[in-house]
Amino acid sequence: MALFHSGSRDLPGLGANLRDQVRRGLPRPPSQLAWDFLSIAMSIFAADRFVLRSASEDGWTRVISVDVAVQNPVIWEPHRERLAAAFRFLTGDIWHLSFSPDGDEAPAFPPQLTDRDCICLFSGGLDSLLGAIKLQAEGRTPLLVSQGSPKEISPQVSLSEAIGLSQHRFEGRVSEKWRAPYEGSTRGRSLIFFAYGALAASALGLGEVIVPENGFIAINPPLTRRRLGSLSTRTTHPHLLKELSEILDAVGIHVRLHNIFEGKTKGEMLAECDHPQLGLLASGSYSCGKGKRLNKQCGRCIPCLIRRASFHASGVPDMTERGYAARLDRSKDNDDVLSALLAGARRGHLDPAAVERWVAAAGPLPSDPLRRATIIGTVDRGLAEVSAFLETVRWR
């Protein structure tokens, strides 16, 4: 595949305009190492999109070999296996990585003055909005970092303008292209976000990328046994953030991926946010996990249920524009809704040890006892929020 080039039916490609987007969106040039990590992230994302799961032996797990051209393979080679393991944790596939020389050179351009003191990932979702507002309330001056995709560009633009950060937002668009159909599960998409964040942090000389994600969805515990694998994503799981942060540091990209909401439920985040237009802004965010197939948020996928539960728990009115595509009161048999109902029903019968095992089923938890307990408690409260919201629904 051709990185930083347009694709065609004969040659898969992506990121044709990224160099220009970096020149326009970052005040200073990024480091070569961060640019190489972007090349790696783009390669994994492209393979994730172009290799169909349906063609694999079990209909899900793929075996994918990727050779990535970087400027200095010697730097990356000692970390090849650990990177492959991190990518397997993220996507559920078996990855074989290798590195070649003569990779793309990082763009160079005259640096500009900037007052930005932190990097915040900004998807246009409710969590990223609350993260940006929190940083501003603390007196920080964030540079927002976005991955532009059709359903999310509009809220990214409108929300960044509403909070006064439209001139301080980097937007990259991968724009992958090859032969349709593409794989729709896109587990590797968060790597693009992280790579953009590392790119921006290297440009500004900062050592942290803020990943604003509520602690419940960051763990994303399996609501049923069937959801343990394919239906449970791990895009911001603390184990993934730890592994990627340590690998980046080891190769010389001294950037930590930090989830500032690890110990908060979405409802707690919303309740603690102080903004005069909170209800309007929050309702204008985009949280749906299945909206790419619709013209609005579905209202019943797991991210939508957690979103709606957060409005209920916090008391902030949900004025979501155009409403939701599905009527929740007629969706009791929907797979996501039913899974949430069953998980909530089981919650009251679990002792603390069983709750910990359930949370740990999604992936390794931190070894620090206090942090581990905080995460487990957050997940338990997050499910309680969803259950309390679903109890208000009059099923038909």
Side-chain angles (χ1 to χ4, degrees):
M1 71 188 76
L3 302 182
F4 308 108
H5 290 281
S6 297
S8 67
R9 284 188 56 83
D10 299 321
L11 178 66
L14 69 166
N17 299 315
L18 270 176
R19 297 181 68 86
D20 289 338
Q21 291 162 2
V22 166
R23 291 189 183 97
R24 293 195 305 267
L26 294 183
R28 298 169 188 161
S31 72
Q32 181 61 53
L33 282 171
W35 192 257
D36 284 343
F37 181 61
L38 176 62
S39 295
I40 296 169
M42 288 171 62
S43 299
I44 299 302
F45 171 78
D48 189 32
R49 287 286 278 157
F50 296 149
V51 180
L52 297 179
R53 293 190 184 275
S54 59
S56 65
E57 185 174 344
D58 64 357
W60 182 261
T61 307
R62 302 161 296 184
V63 180
I64 304 176
S65 296
V66 179
D67 183 79
V68 186
V70 294
Q71 280 286 297
N72 189 349
V74 173
I75 294 176
W76 294 97
E77 182 60 31
H79 311 285
R80 175 170 52 86
E81 294 298 330
R82 193 174 183 185
L83 274 169
F87 298 156
R88 179 168 190 177
F89 180 79
L90 173 62
T91 71
D93 303 296
I94 299 170
W95 294 91
H96 299 287
L97 302 179
S98 58
F99 302 103
S100 302
D102 302 320
D104 195 78
E105 290 188 6
F109 50 91
Q112 301 175 0
L113 293 176
T114 180
D115 65 347
R116 302 297 96 183
D117 65 4
C118 58
I119 306 298
C120 181
L121 302 189
F122 190 76
S123 66
L126 179 53
D127 291 7
S128 66
L129 169 68
L130 297 176
I133 293 175
K134 173 180 171 64
L135 293 170
Q136 289 180 306
E138 294 172 351
R140 308 290 298 276
T141 56
L143 173 67
L144 304 182
V145 171
S146 302
Q147 156 64 8
S149 60
K151 291 292 183 182
E152 296 166 344
I153 290 174
S154 178
Q156 288 169 1
V157 171
S158 61
L159 294 175
S160 62
E161 287 178 351
I163 60 176
L165 291 175
S166 60
Q167 300 303 309
H168 302 288
R169 185 175 72 90
F170 167 75
E171 179 186 300
R173 299 192 189 185
V174 172
S175 304
E176 70 278 11
K177 185 177 180 180
W178 196 32
R179 304 187 200 115
Y182 299 153
E183 171 57 43
S185 57
T186 61
R187 292 293 189 266
R189 184 171 177 269
S190 65
L191 287 176
I192 299 294
F193 265 104
F194 299 152
Y196 288 166
L199 206 69
S202 75
L204 273 64
L206 300 173
E208 181 181 70
V209 172
I210 294 168
V211 183
E213 186 82 277
N214 73 83
F216 182 34
I217 203 66
I219 295 294
N220 201 12
L223 298 183
T224 65
R225 290 180 183 274
R226 194 173 72 80
R227 302 182 70 93
L228 184 58
S230 63
L231 293 176
S232 290
T233 61
R234 294 163 163 175
T235 54
T236 55
H237 193 284
H239 176 69
L240 178 67
L241 300 189
K242 168 185 172 292
E243 288 297 295
L244 291 178
S245 295
E246 291 181 358
I247 293 168
L248 291 177
D249 187 64
V251 300
I253 307 171
H254 304 301
V255 173
R256 175 194 176 206
L257 302 173
H258 178 207
N259 183 3
I260 58 174
F261 292 131
E262 180 180 82
K264 299 290 183 180
T265 69
K266 205 181 196 84
E268 291 165 352
M269 291 161 55
L270 198 54
E272 294 173 8
C273 182
D274 183 16
H275 192 283
Q277 295 180 303
L278 178 60
L280 184 63
L281 293 177
S283 298
S285 64
Y286 187 87
S287 306
C288 186
K290 298 181 179 178
K292 289 181 174 62
R293 298 187 287 271
L294 305 166
N295 291 321
K296 57 179 70 175
Q297 302 185 70
C298 77
R300 63 185 188 183
C301 66
I302 296 302
C304 276
L305 293 177
I306 295 173
R307 168 196 174 90
R308 297 177 76 165
S310 71
F311 281 104
H312 176 260
S314 65
V316 175
D318 187 356
M319 301 177 287
T320 298
E321 187 177 356
R322 299 189 304 276
Y324 296 101
R327 285 193 52 170
L328 188 58
D329 60 349
R330 295 181 177 175
S331 301
K332 191 173 184 179
D333 293 333
N334 172 267
D335 184 74
D336 286 342
V337 175
L338 185 58
S339 295
L341 286 168
L342 291 173
R346 286 196 304 272
R347 174 180 172 269
H349 303 288
L350 297 178
D351 59 32
V355 172
E356 181 170 357
R357 288 194 299 271
W358 170 58
V359 176
L365 296 176
S367 58
D368 176 70
L370 180 59
R371 188 178 169 207
R372 186 183 183 97
T374 297
I375 289 172
I376 293 169
T378 302
V379 173
D380 187 49
R381 297 194 310 277
L383 179 57
E385 284 184 3
V386 175
S387 297
F389 167 67
L390 290 176
E391 286 175 2
T392 68
V393 180
R394 299 182 65 179
W395 305 105
R396 296 176 184 270

